[in-house]
Amino acid sequence: MDPECSQLLPALCAVLVDPRQPVADDTCLEKLLDWFKTVTEAGSSVLLLQENPCLVELLSRVLVSQDLSPGTLSFSLRLAGIFAAQESCFQYLQQGELLPGLFGELGPRGGTAWTAPAVRSGWTQGLRSLARHPSALHVLADHGILDTIFSLQEDSSLFVASAAGQLLAHILGLSMQGHAQGHPGPQACDWPACAQRIVGHLEEALRSPATPRVARALNALTTMFGHCHSPWTQVLWVRLSPLVARLLEKDPIPAAHPLVDLLLSVARSPVLSSDCGLWETLAQALSHLSPTQAGPLALGILKLQDCPQALSTQAFAVLLQPLVCVLKATAQATRPPGLLGGTTSASVTVDALLSSRPACVALLCQTLAHLELLQPMPQRPSPWPQALLLGAAVTILQLCRGSAAPASDVGGRLCVLLAGCVRVQRAALDFLGTLSQGTGPQELVTQVLAVLLAYLESPDSSPMVLKKAFQATLRWLLSLPKAPGCCDLDPKLQLFLRELLAVLQKRLCSPCWEVRDSGLEFLTQVTRHWGGQAGFQHVLLASEVPALAEQLLRDPERYVRASAVTALGQLSGHGLHATSASPGHPGGQQRSPLQDLLHILSTDSEGFPRRAVMQVFTEWLRDGHAEVAEDMERFVARVLQVASRDLDWEVRAQGLELALVFLAQTLSQPSSSCPYAVAPPEVVPPSRLAQALQALCRVRLFEFAFRALFDCDRPVAQKSCELLLFLRAKAGPCDGLQEAGGSPDVASVEAALQRWRVGEQDQPLGDLEPGAVMAVLRSMDLDGLRGTLAESSDHVEKSPQSLLQDVLASVGVLGENEADCY
């Protein structure tokens, strides 16, 4: 511990035990505990207490003071646990009977302070910290501590009850640690006394008719089996599994969700994966749980690495059952061979679907989400019923729109329950988009595209549903095969695109800004992937979409303007913007996308559109956009000039990214080799370096970078520092730059930079010479500056000394100027 901190500890301890000076900020106490934990993990806790006896005195005062605040008591209990986590310090504290006093009946547990949940929570967390070694079991076994933990499992505070359950599981594992190698048998006499009491308590709870008590026991066992994989856990499961199986026979099954969590925790244990009885219990659970309860269990089973084939098949059948019921209700179901059998589960699922609208929605959304998670997994069931899943997703979307044809009373009821349900529509569209990764019959793919187009056309589709529909449509479009020769789009696909772009035109004119924004995002993505295809270009240019996208640059909503900028960037990059081919205005004045975006960068009052412009400009420069390539230096100079005056730090940071791309291109270095690369860049030959530096000076890149180096926003300064370090490394010694013109005029540049450093950035640097620039770069401690900028802006305020000062200042112990006020 730092000497400065040690000097402040006595005053801190005096404040904590003084009821007249309560520490109102519990956050400071939490930070102090984190700091003490870090200190004890780095060294000896005994030595810490010996060098700072005020800490032991603090714990001793807790035993005799009756009027301490609950926050201070909780802090002291947790602090004692942190110290006692080391066995040597545990023995040291035991010499003064401090631990029995703090955690036994004579401590806070027996006083009025125990009524405060914070004290009970601190007591539980303190025990959890000290229960790290066998010596702690002696304290835990005595003083009625186990009985208190049992009672805290039923605490009115959910946080305390949860912590007590976790503590119980931890103590059980600790008590069995010494017996792990001996593999104790199931007889009661073979178990340690502490373990016997805990297991007996859990057995009694599992037999209880009270569901909350059963749930608490299941949660404790889930924690234990999840963290402990010793051989003795197999014996414990053999002992408890009959009680767990008996829960499955009750109607209704008590604590179904905690029961599922326990079964999956046991199934994931490498020690228990070979237990045949476990698989039988899982199969029994799949049969007895309701469809909503069985879904998470089925998904968990299918994620297991080593699982019997029969159980996997049963679990997959449980997941598919709701979708099969939907298909049967619309006369579209054909039972997948080997997956679904029997009618009992089907009737139960139908009852669950038809019981109420919330139940129907919850079951379908859960099923779709589970199958969406399962689809990309390598251990998913094979064969994968792609056709069934596609048909089910399309049918659910049709039911929600009211366009499905019910074949029974069940189908009619589903139409009523799902009509206009946005939640199911969103889940089904997400799932349908995921299914694009697979293949399906052509007629089903046609149905998929039709239902997506119907949702995009429908005036009843909500903005969020439209966004999901656009995303699913994009995924399906990109997954469709190209025409023979892979050089263009399929004719049927081009026909679909015409219909799609007609819908997109309407959506870009929507009065809802979220819809316009989603349409622009879709246009950006589809152009990014298909902008080079002749068929797509022809269909797009025949529509009004490019012109509408350009009009949205002046949208009143900032997010839409930003999306329009990004869309125009993609369109212009492929020569698809409205001004390059506008059949409706054959003699009109040609408008430049570059001019439009420069105008936005200079005049837009919102940051989002300006950031989007800078990203587009950087992409244009990197990809060699035609309009940029005409006069690259003029383009870069104009952009950097505008970006340097921008008040948004992200715009300035993106300006540095653009400067880096230009720098790399000027030095004939691929832009992928950037300052963040691990390998140092190669040195550029002097002749090429001199030409490159002249170009960099002409675009005033150095003035922009030096100004950014002293920016008040740290990310901007960091980017500038990395850029200048990159250039310095590429330049090498660069002695050849001084051959002509004598010594460079470095003094004036350094004087201007010094004024900039103190905030006087009004005066420009003027015309810079390459030699002066490189001389300044060599003289600056850029490596040291990079290290300084890498530190967080509040690293001083986060120091332990500052934290102690803040606590003392909050109660008036320190003088007015001694605290860190931040």
Side-chain angles (χ1 to χ4, degrees):
M1 181 182 293
D2 296 336
E4 296 82 2
C5 294
S6 294
Q7 293 175 3
L8 294 172
L9 276 182
L12 172 71
C13 294
V15 165
L16 290 175
V17 297
D18 188 352
R20 298 168 300 174
Q21 295 178 318
V23 179
D25 188 0
D26 290 340
T27 306
C28 287
L29 296 181
E30 289 290 336
K31 292 179 179 178
L32 281 173
L33 288 170
D34 291 339
W35 172 57
F36 276 115
K37 186 176 180 181
T38 302
V39 171
T40 55
E41 287 174 348
S44 168
S45 297
V46 173
L47 184 60
L48 176 66
L49 295 181
Q50 290 174 342
E51 293 178 347
N52 301 275
C54 59
L55 293 172
V56 178
E57 185 179 349
L58 167 66
L59 301 180
S60 302
R61 291 285 298 275
V62 170
L63 296 178
V64 297
S65 299
Q66 300 296 321
D67 49 1
L68 294 182
S69 68
T72 299
L73 280 174
S74 177
F75 170 84
S76 302
L77 291 167
R78 293 172 63 185
L79 183 63
I82 290 173
F83 291 149
Q86 293 184 10
E87 192 164 9
S88 59
C89 192
F90 177 90
Q91 303 292 352
Y92 179 79
L93 293 175
Q94 276 289 80
Q95 296 174 5
E97 294 293 319
L98 269 178
L99 295 179
L102 288 171
F103 295 99
E105 297 175 348
L106 299 179
R109 205 176 89 202
T112 56
W114 191 249
T115 58
V119 176
R120 301 195 298 274
S121 177
W123 184 86
T124 307
Q125 293 179 68
L127 284 176
R128 177 66 178 81
S129 297
L130 69 83
R132 301 283 181 87
H133 39 76
S135 300
L137 291 174
H138 300 296
V139 170
L140 296 171
D142 301 330
H143 312 291
I145 288 179
L146 275 183
D147 291 328
T148 304
I149 298 174
F150 294 156
S151 65
L152 287 180
Q153 277 194 290
E154 304 176 13
D155 196 89
S156 57
S157 168
L158 294 178
F159 296 103
V160 175
S162 175
Q166 295 175 12
L167 174 60
L168 206 60
H170 179 73
I171 294 174
L172 176 59
L174 179 66
S175 64
M176 295 296 293
Q177 249 180 22
H179 299 261
Q181 299 299 326
H183 192 63
Q187 293 81 9
C189 59
D190 292 332
W191 294 81
C194 186
Q196 289 185 43
R197 288 198 60 195
I198 294 174
V199 173
H201 169 76
L202 294 174
E203 288 176 325
E204 183 182 348
L206 291 175
R207 296 189 186 98
S208 172
T211 298
R213 190 176 181 194
V214 174
R216 287 189 288 268
L218 294 172
N219 288 333
L221 288 170
T222 299
T223 301
M224 197 279 302
F225 282 111
H227 291 86
C228 186
H229 301 145
S230 299
W232 64 267
T233 56
Q234 186 173 12
V235 179
L236 179 63
W237 174 246
V238 170
R239 179 169 173 175
L240 297 179
S241 57
L243 296 175
V244 174
R246 216 165 292 157
L247 295 175
L248 295 170
E249 299 170 358
K250 297 183 179 182
D251 188 20
I253 296 175
H257 291 297
L259 179 57
V260 168
D261 291 339
L262 171 63
L263 291 175
L264 290 177
S265 180
V266 174
R268 296 185 190 108
S269 172
V271 179
L272 300 168
S273 58
S274 59
D275 187 348
C276 296
L278 170 61
W279 306 125
E280 294 174 2
T281 303
L282 290 171
Q284 183 186 2
L286 288 173
S287 301
H288 286 74
L289 291 167
S290 71
T292 305
Q293 296 165 347
L297 178 62
L299 178 65
I301 289 173
L302 291 170
K303 288 181 177 180
L304 297 174
Q305 296 295 332
D306 302 315
C307 179
Q309 182 61 41
L311 183 60
S312 295
T313 301
Q314 182 186 359
F316 197 36
V318 167
L319 276 188
L320 291 178
Q321 190 67 65
L323 301 188
V324 173
C325 290
V326 168
L327 291 173
K328 284 183 177 179
T330 53
Q332 299 180 48
T334 56
R335 181 166 67 87
L339 284 177
L340 303 165
T343 59
T344 303
S345 60
S347 62
V348 172
T349 304
V350 169
D351 292 341
L353 283 171
L354 302 184
S355 60
S356 66
R357 179 181 172 96
C360 179
V361 169
L363 179 55
L364 284 179
C365 288
Q366 175 182 276
T367 300
L368 293 170
H370 286 166
L371 289 168
E372 185 179 352
L373 290 172
L374 194 62
Q375 198 273 345
M377 291 184 180
Q379 67 265 36
R380 73 180 189 185
S382 181
W384 181 253
Q386 178 79 356
L388 180 145
L389 297 174
L390 282 174
V394 169
T395 301
I396 290 172
L397 288 170
Q398 291 172 340
L399 287 168
C400 292
R401 288 190 67 242
S403 60
S408 63
D409 293 340
V410 174
R413 175 69 173 154
L414 285 175
C415 282
V416 174
L417 292 173
L418 296 178
C421 181
V422 172
R423 185 181 167 197
V424 173
Q425 290 172 1
R426 291 168 56 183
L429 288 168
D430 280 338
F431 181 53
L432 195 59
T434 302
L435 290 176
S436 65
Q437 301 172 22
T439 57
Q442 183 57 46
E443 60 271 16
L444 271 178
V445 174
T446 302
Q447 291 181 33
V448 168
L449 296 179
V451 76
L452 289 173
L453 191 62
Y455 265 82
L456 292 172
E457 287 178 326
S458 174
D460 298 326
S461 295
S462 70
M464 181 53 71
V465 168
L466 280 171
K467 185 179 181 71
K468 296 288 186 183
F470 272 125
Q471 292 172 345
T473 303
L474 178 68
R475 297 181 72 172
W476 273 96
L477 285 176
L478 300 183
S479 70
L480 294 177
K482 296 180 182 178
C486 297
C487 60
D488 207 349
L489 303 178
D490 183 83
K492 292 181 179 179
L493 183 55
Q494 290 194 44
L495 178 61
F496 173 75
L497 280 175
R498 288 192 185 94
E499 298 175 344
L500 178 62
L501 291 177
V503 175
L504 182 59
Q505 287 180 192
K506 297 178 181 178
R507 292 305 184 186
L508 292 179
C509 300
S510 171
C512 179
W513 75 264
E514 292 96 338
V515 174
R516 301 195 300 274
D517 191 59
S518 297
L520 288 168
E521 288 178 352
F522 172 78
L523 175 62
T524 300
Q525 293 299 323
V526 76
T527 305
R528 177 174 284 118
H529 289 89
W530 278 358
Q533 305 239 4
F536 174 75
Q537 293 176 353
H538 176 75
V539 174
L540 181 66
L541 291 175
S543 70
E544 293 295 320
V545 169
L548 290 171
E550 185 177 340
Q551 292 175 19
L552 292 175
L553 292 174
R554 296 173 289 279
D555 194 274
E557 175 54 52
R558 56 181 176 169
Y559 298 111
V560 177
R561 296 199 301 276
S563 296
V565 166
T566 307
L568 182 62
Q570 282 297 321
L571 291 170
S572 180
H574 292 91
L576 300 174
H577 53 280
T579 57
S580 64
S582 52
H585 306 82
Q589 182 180 3
Q590 294 290 317
R591 290 170 300 172
S592 165
L594 176 58
Q595 294 296 332
D596 287 339
L597 297 190
L598 276 172
H599 179 73
I600 292 174
L601 182 62
S602 303
T603 62
D604 200 297
S605 60
E606 297 288 347
F608 288 105
R610 302 199 307 273
R611 295 173 197 169
V613 170
M614 289 302 302
Q615 291 170 355
V616 167
F617 282 166
T618 305
E619 197 170 320
W620 281 2
L621 181 62
R622 183 182 290 115
D623 297 340
H625 186 276
E627 195 171 358
V628 171
E630 289 179 3
D631 192 342
M632 188 182 299
E633 288 188 14
R634 183 168 181 266
F635 165 77
V636 172
R638 293 169 67 187
V639 173
L640 293 184
Q641 181 184 9
V642 178
S644 65
R645 298 193 302 264
D646 202 290
L647 298 179
D648 189 323
W649 73 264
E650 292 192 44
V651 173
R652 301 195 299 275
Q654 189 63 42
L656 288 163
E657 189 68 30
L658 181 141
L660 175 61
V661 173
F662 180 70
L663 172 61
Q665 291 179 349
T666 306
L667 296 173
S668 300
Q669 177 78 15
S671 58
S672 58
S673 296
C674 64
Y676 316 110
V678 176
E682 298 178 0
V683 175
V684 178
S687 59
R688 180 147 51 92
L689 177 63
Q691 296 175 358
L693 290 175
Q694 289 287 354
L696 298 177
C697 289
R698 286 194 296 269
V699 301
R700 309 191 79 85
L701 182 145
F702 292 115
E703 182 170 337
F704 177 69
F706 283 136
R707 190 183 300 273
L709 193 63
F710 307 117
D711 199 288
C712 58
D713 289 290
R714 189 161 56 100
V716 178
Q718 283 180 302
K719 270 187 172 292
S720 176
C721 187
E722 296 291 352
L723 183 147
L724 295 173
L725 280 167
F726 175 68
L727 174 60
R728 191 176 70 179
K730 293 288 291 181
C734 60
D735 295 331
L737 295 177
Q738 302 181 23
E739 293 177 359
S743 301
D745 181 14
V746 179
S748 62
V749 178
E750 290 182 337
L753 291 180
Q754 185 60 36
R755 289 193 296 271
W756 284 10
R757 187 190 300 271
V758 297
E760 300 176 6
Q761 299 193 6
D762 297 333
Q763 182 180 353
L765 287 181
D767 295 329
L768 296 176
E769 292 295 329
V773 170
M774 295 312 303
V776 170
L777 280 182
R778 290 197 304 271
S779 66
M780 296 178 71
D781 184 15
L782 291 175
D783 293 295
L785 180 59
R786 177 168 58 180
T788 302
L789 292 170
E791 295 179 333
S792 62
S793 58
D794 59 348
H795 68 278
V796 175
E797 288 80 3
K798 281 187 173 180
S799 67
Q801 181 182 355
S802 173
L803 178 60
L804 292 169
Q805 289 173 339
D806 289 340
V807 176
L808 296 175
S810 67
V811 293
V813 172
L814 288 183
E816 182 179 354
N817 298 320
E818 294 183 68
D820 281 323
C821 299
Y822 55 91

